Coordinates of all heavy atoms in Angstrom, one line a residue:
G1 N 73.5 87.5 86.6 CA 74.1 88.7 86.0 C 73.2 89.5 85.2 O 73.7 90.4 84.4
R2 N 71.9 89.4 85.3 CA 70.9 90.1 84.5 C 70.4 91.4 85.3 O 69.4 91.9 85.0 CB 69.8 89.3 84.1 CG 70.2 88.1 83.1 CD 69.0 87.4 82.6 NE 68.3 86.6 83.6 CZ 68.6 85.3 83.7 NH1 69.5 84.7 83.0 NH2 67.9 84.6 84.6
T3 N 71.1 91.8 86.3 CA 70.7 92.9 87.1 C 71.8 94.0 87.2 O 73.0 93.6 87.0 CB 70.2 92.5 88.5 OG1 71.4 92.0 89.2 CG2 69.1 91.5 88.5
V4 N 71.4 95.2 87.5 CA 72.4 96.2 87.9 C 72.0 96.7 89.3 O 70.9 97.1 89.5 CB 72.2 97.4 86.9 CG1 73.2 98.5 87.2 CG2 72.4 97.0 85.4
L5 N 73.0 96.6 90.2 CA 72.7 96.9 91.6 C 73.8 97.7 92.2 O 74.7 97.2 92.8 CB 72.5 95.6 92.4 CG 71.7 95.7 93.7 CD1 70.3 96.2 93.4 CD2 71.7 94.3 94.4
P6 N 73.8 99.0 92.0 CA 74.9 99.9 92.6 C 74.8 99.9 94.1 O 73.9 99.5 94.7 CB 74.6 101.3 92.0 CG 73.6 101.0 90.9 CD 72.9 99.8 91.2
A7 N 75.9 100.5 94.7 CA 75.9 100.6 96.1 C 74.8 101.6 96.5 O 74.4 102.5 95.8 CB 77.3 101.2 96.6
E8 N 74.2 101.3 97.7 CA 73.2 102.2 98.2 C 73.8 103.4 98.8 O 74.9 103.5 99.2 CB 72.4 101.4 99.3 CG 73.2 101.0 100.5 CD 72.4 100.2 101.5 OE1 71.5 99.4 101.0 OE2 72.6 100.3 102.7
A9 N 72.9 104.5 98.9 CA 73.3 105.7 99.6 C 72.7 105.7 101.0 O 71.5 105.4 101.1 CB 72.8 106.9 98.8
Y10 N 73.4 106.0 102.0 CA 73.0 105.8 103.4 C 73.2 107.1 104.1 O 74.3 107.7 104.2 CB 73.7 104.7 104.1 CG 73.5 104.5 105.6 CD1 72.3 103.9 106.0 CD2 74.4 105.0 106.5 CE1 72.1 103.8 107.4 CE2 74.2 104.8 107.8 CZ 73.1 104.2 108.3 OH 72.8 104.1 109.6
L11 N 72.1 107.7 104.7 CA 72.2 108.9 105.5 C 71.6 108.6 106.9 O 70.4 108.1 107.0 CB 71.5 110.0 104.8 CG 71.3 111.3 105.6 CD1 72.6 112.0 105.9 CD2 70.3 112.3 104.9
R12 N 72.3 108.9 108.0 CA 71.7 108.7 109.3 C 71.9 109.9 110.2 O 72.7 110.7 109.9 CB 72.4 107.5 110.0 CG 73.8 107.7 110.5 CD 74.0 106.9 111.8 NE 73.2 107.5 112.9 CZ 73.0 106.9 114.1 NH1 73.5 105.7 114.3 NH2 72.3 107.5 115.0
W13 N 70.9 110.0 111.1 CA 71.0 111.1 112.1 C 70.2 110.7 113.3 O 69.5 109.7 113.3 CB 70.5 112.4 111.5 CG 69.0 112.4 111.1 CD1 68.0 112.9 111.9 CD2 68.4 112.0 109.9 NE1 66.8 112.8 111.3 CE2 67.0 112.2 110.0 CE3 68.9 111.4 108.7 CZ2 66.1 111.9 109.0 CZ3 68.0 111.1 107.7 CH2 66.7 111.3 107.8
D14 N 70.3 111.5 114.4 CA 69.5 111.3 115.6 C 68.4 112.4 115.6 O 68.7 113.6 115.4 CB 70.3 111.4 116.8 CG 71.3 110.2 117.0 OD1 71.0 109.1 116.4 OD2 72.3 110.3 117.6
N15 N 67.1 112.0 115.8 CA 66.1 113.0 115.8 C 66.1 113.7 117.2 O 66.9 113.5 118.0 CB 64.7 112.4 115.4 CG 64.2 111.4 116.5 OD1 64.8 111.3 117.6 ND2 63.2 110.6 116.1
D16 N 65.1 114.6 117.4 CA 65.0 115.4 118.6 C 64.9 114.5 119.9 O 65.2 115.0 121.0 CB 63.9 116.4 118.6 CG 64.1 117.5 117.5 OD1 65.2 117.6 117.1 OD2 63.1 118.2 117.2
Q17 N 64.4 113.3 119.7 CA 64.3 112.3 120.8 C 65.6 111.5 121.0 O 65.6 110.7 121.9 CB 63.1 111.4 120.6 CG 61.8 112.1 120.4 CD 60.7 111.1 120.1 OE1 60.5 110.1 120.8 NE2 59.9 111.4 119.1
G18 N 66.6 111.8 120.2 CA 67.8 111.0 120.3 C 67.7 109.7 119.7 O 68.6 108.8 119.9
A19 N 66.7 109.4 118.9 CA 66.5 108.1 118.3 C 67.2 108.0 116.9 O 67.3 108.9 116.2 CB 65.0 107.9 118.1
Y20 N 67.7 106.8 116.7 CA 68.3 106.5 115.4 C 67.4 106.7 114.3 O 66.2 106.1 114.3 CB 68.8 105.0 115.4 CG 69.2 104.5 114.1 CD1 70.4 104.9 113.4 CD2 68.4 103.6 113.4 CE1 70.7 104.3 112.2 CE2 68.7 103.0 112.2 CZ 69.9 103.4 111.6 OH 70.2 102.9 110.3
T21 N 67.7 107.5 113.3 CA 66.9 107.8 112.2 C 67.8 107.8 110.9 O 68.9 108.2 110.9 CB 66.3 109.2 112.3 OG1 65.7 109.3 113.6 CG2 65.3 109.6 111.3
R22 N 67.2 107.3 109.8 CA 68.0 107.1 108.6 C 67.2 107.1 107.3 O 66.0 107.0 107.3 CB 68.9 105.8 108.7 CG 68.1 104.5 108.9 CD 67.5 103.9 107.7 NE 66.9 102.6 107.9 CZ 66.0 102.1 107.1 NH1 65.5 102.7 106.1 NH2 65.6 100.8 107.3
S23 N 67.9 107.4 106.2 CA 67.4 107.3 104.9 C 68.3 106.5 104.0 O 69.5 106.7 104.1 CB 67.2 108.7 104.3 OG 66.7 108.6 103.0
I24 N 67.7 105.6 103.3 CA 68.5 104.7 102.4 C 68.0 104.8 101.0 O 66.7 104.6 100.8 CB 68.6 103.2 102.8 CG1 69.1 103.1 104.3 CG2 69.4 102.4 101.9 CD1 69.1 101.7 104.8
A25 N 68.8 105.1 100.0 CA 68.4 105.1 98.6 C 69.0 103.9 97.9 O 70.2 103.7 97.9 CB 68.8 106.4 97.9
M26 N 68.2 103.1 97.2 CA 68.6 101.9 96.6 C 68.2 101.8 95.1 O 67.1 101.5 94.8 CB 68.0 100.7 97.3 CG 68.2 100.6 98.8 SD 67.3 99.3 99.5 CE 67.7 99.5 101.3
P27 N 69.2 102.2 94.2 CA 68.9 102.1 92.8 C 69.1 100.7 92.3 O 69.9 99.9 92.9 CB 69.9 103.1 92.2 CG 71.0 103.1 93.1 CD 70.5 102.8 94.5
G28 N 68.4 100.3 91.2 CA 68.7 99.0 90.6 C 68.0 98.9 89.3 O 67.1 99.7 88.9
G29 N 68.3 97.8 88.6 CA 67.7 97.5 87.3 C 67.8 96.1 87.0 O 68.6 95.3 87.5
V30 N 66.9 95.6 86.1 CA 66.9 94.3 85.6 C 66.9 94.4 84.1 O 66.1 95.1 83.4 CB 65.6 93.5 86.0 CG1 65.6 92.1 85.4 CG2 65.5 93.4 87.5
V31 N 67.9 93.7 83.5 CA 68.1 93.8 82.0 C 68.2 92.4 81.5 O 69.2 91.7 81.7 CB 69.4 94.6 81.7 CG1 69.6 94.7 80.2 CG2 69.4 95.9 82.4
R32 N 67.2 91.9 80.8 CA 67.1 90.5 80.3 C 67.4 90.6 78.8 O 66.9 91.4 78.1 CB 65.8 89.9 80.6 CG 65.5 89.7 82.0 CD 64.2 88.8 82.2 NE 63.9 88.6 83.6 CZ 62.9 89.3 84.2 NH1 62.2 90.2 83.5 NH2 62.6 89.0 85.4
D33 N 68.1 89.6 78.3 CA 68.4 89.5 76.9 C 67.1 89.3 76.1 O 66.3 88.4 76.4 CB 69.3 88.3 76.6 CG 70.7 88.5 77.1 OD1 71.1 89.7 77.3 OD2 71.4 87.5 77.3
G34 N 66.8 90.2 75.2 CA 65.6 90.1 74.4 C 64.3 90.5 75.1 O 63.3 90.4 74.5
G35 N 64.4 91.0 76.3 CA 63.2 91.4 77.0 C 63.3 92.8 77.4 O 64.4 93.5 77.3
P36 N 62.2 93.4 78.0 CA 62.2 94.8 78.4 C 63.1 95.0 79.6 O 63.1 94.2 80.5 CB 60.8 95.1 78.6 CG 60.2 93.7 79.0 CD 60.9 92.7 78.2
A37 N 63.8 96.1 79.6 CA 64.6 96.5 80.8 C 63.7 97.2 81.8 O 62.7 97.9 81.4 CB 65.8 97.3 80.4
A38 N 64.1 97.2 83.1 CA 63.3 97.9 84.1 C 64.4 98.6 85.0 O 65.3 97.9 85.5 CB 62.4 97.0 84.9
Y39 N 64.2 99.8 85.3 CA 65.1 100.6 86.2 C 64.2 101.4 87.2 O 63.1 101.8 86.9 CB 65.9 101.6 85.4 CG 66.8 100.9 84.3 CD1 66.3 100.8 83.0 CD2 68.0 100.3 84.6 CE1 67.1 100.2 82.0 CE2 68.8 99.7 83.7 CZ 68.3 99.7 82.4 OH 69.1 99.1 81.4
G40 N 64.8 101.5 88.4 CA 64.1 102.3 89.4 C 64.9 102.5 90.6 O 66.1 102.2 90.7
M41 N 64.3 103.0 91.7 CA 65.0 103.3 92.9 C 64.0 103.2 94.1 O 62.8 103.6 93.9 CB 65.6 104.7 92.9 CG 66.3 105.0 94.2 SD 67.0 106.7 94.2 CE 68.3 106.5 93.0
K42 N 64.4 102.6 95.2 CA 63.6 102.7 96.4 C 64.3 103.6 97.4 O 65.5 103.5 97.6 CB 63.5 101.3 97.0 CG 62.8 101.3 98.4 CD 62.5 99.8 98.9 CE 63.7 99.3 99.6 NZ 63.4 98.0 100.3
I43 N 63.5 104.5 98.0 CA 64.0 105.4 99.0 C 63.2 105.0 100.3 O 62.0 105.2 100.3 CB 63.8 106.9 98.7 CG1 64.5 107.2 97.4 CG2 64.2 107.8 99.8 CD1 64.3 108.6 96.9
I44 N 63.9 104.5 101.2 CA 63.2 104.0 102.4 C 63.8 104.6 103.7 O 65.0 104.6 103.9 CB 63.3 102.4 102.5 CG1 62.4 101.9 103.6 CG2 64.7 101.9 102.6 CD1 60.9 101.8 103.2
N45 N 62.9 105.3 104.4 CA 63.4 106.1 105.6 C 62.8 105.5 106.8 O 61.7 104.9 106.8 CB 62.9 107.6 105.5 CG 63.6 108.3 104.3 OD1 64.4 107.7 103.6 ND2 63.2 109.5 104.2
A46 N 63.5 105.6 108.0 CA 63.0 105.0 109.2 C 63.5 105.7 110.4 O 64.6 106.4 110.4 CB 63.4 103.5 109.2
S47 N 62.7 105.6 111.5 CA 63.2 106.1 112.8 C 62.7 105.1 113.8 O 61.5 104.7 113.8 CB 62.7 107.5 113.1 OG 63.1 107.9 114.4
V48 N 63.5 104.7 114.8 CA 63.1 103.7 115.8 C 62.1 104.3 116.7 O 61.4 103.5 117.5 CB 64.3 103.2 116.5 CG1 65.3 102.4 115.6 CG2 65.1 104.3 117.3

């Protein structure tokens, strides 16, 4: 229970070739008692 992990944001579309293409945004954080907190986000995009 020392993390914060909200739901991801998901966006998908088909590119000009009709290929599955998407973007996912993943925010999160680590919060330890007595230690430094860390927060950030990964944005990972892909096309097959």
Side-chain angles (χ1 to χ4, degrees):
R2 295 188 288 266
T3 63
V4 181
L5 201 61
E8 64 187 32
Y10 172 79
L11 172 67
R12 72 145 293 166
W13 66 95
D14 293 335
N15 66 14
D16 290 345
Q17 301 175 49
Y20 165 75
T21 306
R22 54 84 170 157
S23 177
I24 302 177
M26 305 175 182
V30 179
V31 185
R32 297 191 180 100
D33 293 338
Y39 301 95
M41 178 183 294
K42 178 173 80 169
I43 301 174
I44 190 78
N45 296 359
S47 178
V48 296

